[in-house]
Amino acid sequence: MEVVAVVDAEPPRFLVALSSVHWRESWKYGERAYRYCQHDAGHALGSLRYAAAALGWSMQLISELSDADLSTIMGLNRVQDFHDAEPEFPNLLGLVVARPNPSRTLCVSSEAVRIVGDGSWHGQANRLSSEQVHWPWIGAMEANAVKPHTELQFRPSTGRVPQGQVPIPPPKVVGPSAVSIIRQRRSAVAMDGQTSVSLDTFMGILRRTMPEPDTVPWDAFPFPARIWLCLFVHRVDDLPPGIYALMRDPTRLEALRTDCRDDFSWTPISGTALPVYELRLGDFRQVAAHVSCTQAIAGDGAFSLGMIADFARTLKEEGAWAYRRLFWEAGLVGQVLYLEAEAAGVQATGIGCYFDDLLHLGLGLDPEEDAWQSLYHFTVGGAVHDARLTTLPAYFHLPSRRAGHRSVDGSDHPER
Ligand SMILES: Cc1cc2nc3c(=O)[nH]c(=O)nc-3n(C[C@H](O)[C@H](O)[C@H](O)COP(=O)(O)O)c2cc1C
């Protein structure tokens, strides 16, 4: 991540850019690394938006720029300065404004891009590894999912709640601060297979994943919602275990219903205005673990889920590059789940290793078609404490910290 410019303006504002060196993940994850980098961009966007919100600031993506323009703005196209380093690819450019009103206040003209590109650049990229493993599919994606210049995607604040949805309640005045929740967030390495969550907690977590344009972090993400959640409910009080669907874009209910197996009931859940539907009741703990590469965490949480994209339609309407923005959307949903789980006193884990075709088959979706495509799994529940992990305060290693300087939240000890 880089902060690419500080603009002297009132209110103060600056640009933040995200880029990926795919090798940083592919050395470990192989082919999966390309999509993990896109997931990470979505998670990072969420982190930035929440951090800005915690300071009372707003944030917008400047989503119309092409990758070529982003490369120029970030200085990634300086061939001489990257000569033997692993290539770095642009992802996102965000505008952070030090005021809460999310109205867009900046467009980047092609003249501005040229001026930045012609500026004085300093520094050279260092090579990370002496040898590399070549993953042909990653190279193919790098070549085929390049973003062109696109129409301005900006959903201005409406100041109203979308039709059919209940207003999100105001933030709790009691409970841990956003800062402590953000700092304590960790992925659960294992789930205890026992902890349940209340129906209110479950619905509250789901509600925060709804793409309401006036809520954090969705006000920073200008693309239409194209992911629905296939929920495996294992332990939610007052909700029978089974498979449920959260339609983040309720207008796609009939299209999905037509494509899924015909013995799903599609019963709306009473007592909530959220578009949540019961599909089939039963104990799906083993199934959930199985479709998540047999990882027990997906069956041992209170619930787990697959994020399934309206895939072919999005690529047809937005172009091949939209493959990436679908993963950003999934990563952003994931970041909401991570933080909402912590706020609810449980924990979550992103699951990037899953068997997509098996999940498609189970839902009756044709694995040979690409109408619907699973992009990310997640689990939420009671974590098994992992004594191997230690959390230290940020910058603990700096001499000023060791001399006893306290952190923002007043603690000068490891948090747990
Ligand atoms: C895109 C993505 C995919 C992940 N996939 C898995 C997974 O398949 N299984 C798992 O146990 N953890 C998975 N994780 C969790 C990571 O292992 C974890 O985020 C990482 O170890 C850093 O720990 P932290 O989240 O506590 O900071 C994934 C995380 C991300 C962001």
Side-chain angles (χ1 to χ4, degrees):
M1 181 179 86
E2 6 178 348
V3 176
V4 290
V6 177
V7 183
D8 185 13
E10 191 50 49
R13 66 201 64 179
F14 56 90
L15 297 168
V16 186
L18 299 177
S19 59
S20 297
V21 178
H22 299 145
W23 173 244
R24 279 191 186 276
E25 299 233 19
S26 64
W27 71 270
K28 180 170 183 188
Y29 295 113
E31 248 167 34
R32 293 204 303 275
Y34 183 82
R35 49 191 169 92
Y36 285 6
C37 286
Q38 311 306 322
H39 280 136
D40 284 354
H43 278 285
L45 171 63
S47 301
L48 289 168
R49 181 62 192 106
Y50 280 115
L55 293 165
W57 297 353
S58 60
M59 182 177 173
Q60 297 290 326
L61 281 194
I62 300 180
S63 56
E64 63 274 23
L65 293 173
S66 66
D67 279 352
D69 283 349
L70 283 185
S71 281
T72 304
I73 290 171
M74 292 186 221
L76 304 179
N77 59 352
R78 294 175 294 140
V79 178
Q80 68 287 1
D81 290 330
F82 278 80
H83 68 287
D84 71 344
E86 293 80 0
E88 187 167 337
F89 296 86
N91 280 328
L92 303 171
L93 183 66
L95 171 68
V96 180
V97 181
R99 71 158 187 232
N101 183 346
S103 63
R104 173 81 169 259
T105 52
L106 185 81
C107 286
V108 180
S109 66
S110 48
E111 177 64 3
V113 173
R114 191 188 60 74
I115 290 169
V116 173
D118 289 347
S120 300
W121 291 89
H122 302 278
Q124 292 190 327
N126 58 311
R127 190 179 169 88
L128 298 171
S129 310
S130 54
E131 287 177 24
Q132 277 196 26
V133 179
H134 179 57
W135 294 97
W137 281 111
I138 292 186
M141 290 310 301
E142 288 164 354
N144 287 298
V146 176
K147 183 182 181 298
H149 189 93
T150 47
E151 288 296 303
L152 179 70
Q153 295 266 0
F154 175 56
R155 295 186 300 168
S157 166
T158 60
R160 64 185 164 76
V161 175
Q163 213 179 3
Q165 282 176 30
V166 167
I168 290 181
K172 285 186 220 160
V173 284
V174 289
S177 69
V179 169
S180 63
I181 287 170
I182 289 167
R183 287 189 176 156
Q184 80 184 32
R185 186 213 64 81
R186 297 302 301 251
S187 295
V189 177
M191 294 291 183
D192 62 13
Q194 292 175 354
T195 302
S196 59
V197 294
S198 72
L199 186 56
D200 270 359
T201 297
F202 176 68
M203 291 298 178
I205 292 173
L206 294 189
R207 173 160 294 158
R208 298 289 180 179
T209 71
M210 291 299 284
E212 296 176 24
D214 290 332
T215 59
V216 174
W218 300 107
D219 58 357
F221 192 70
F223 304 101
R226 288 295 164 77
I227 285 173
W228 67 276
L229 306 186
C230 172
L231 298 153
F232 294 100
V233 169
H234 308 313
R235 273 172 293 272
V236 174
D237 300 342
D238 304 317
L239 192 65
I243 304 179
Y244 294 77
L246 174 70
M247 297 306 296
R248 294 179 62 256
D249 174 6
T251 66
R252 295 294 284 166
L253 177 62
E254 276 319 306
L256 178 64
R257 196 177 169 151
T258 308
D259 288 349
C260 280
R261 53 194 290 165
D262 52 18
D263 58 352
F264 283 161
S265 68
W266 295 97
T267 313
I269 302 305
S270 59
T272 175
L274 280 180
V276 190
Y277 299 86
E278 174 196 305
L279 304 188
R280 187 173 189 167
L281 298 183
D283 179 350
F284 289 96
R285 287 176 295 179
Q286 281 191 347
V287 172
H290 193 61
V291 296
S292 288
C293 284
T294 69
Q295 298 185 76
I297 42 172
D300 290 342
F303 65 96
S304 65
L305 57 95
M307 303 184 198
I308 304 187
D310 203 340
F311 191 73
R313 171 184 172 225
T314 309
L315 268 56
K316 188 171 172 213
E317 289 179 5
E318 299 181 25
W321 87 272
Y323 178 85
R324 290 162 54 205
R325 81 88 168 157
L326 286 174
F327 280 96
W328 302 346
E329 186 179 335
L332 198 47
V333 170
Q335 195 63 19
V336 172
L337 292 171
Y338 264 132
L339 294 180
E340 289 299 327
E342 296 279 354
V346 285
Q347 277 186 298
T349 303
I351 300 179
C353 182
Y354 55 87
F355 298 131
D356 55 347
D357 282 353
L358 269 190
L359 179 59
H360 300 163
L361 268 177
L363 295 172
L365 302 171
D366 186 344
E368 296 301 316
E369 297 281 328
D370 57 4
W372 305 95
Q373 174 63 50
S374 178
L375 299 185
Y376 199 12
H377 288 194
F378 237 82
T379 181
V380 175
V384 175
H385 176 67
D386 189 334
R388 295 169 302 176
L389 296 180
T390 307
T391 301
L392 299 168
Y395 309 116
F396 76 97
H397 56 293
L398 297 182
S400 60
R401 301 282 317 189
R402 285 203 295 272
H405 283 233
R406 298 176 78 85
S407 60
V408 178
D409 65 0
S411 67
D412 53 1
H413 296 291
E415 284 156 351
R416 57 174 194 169

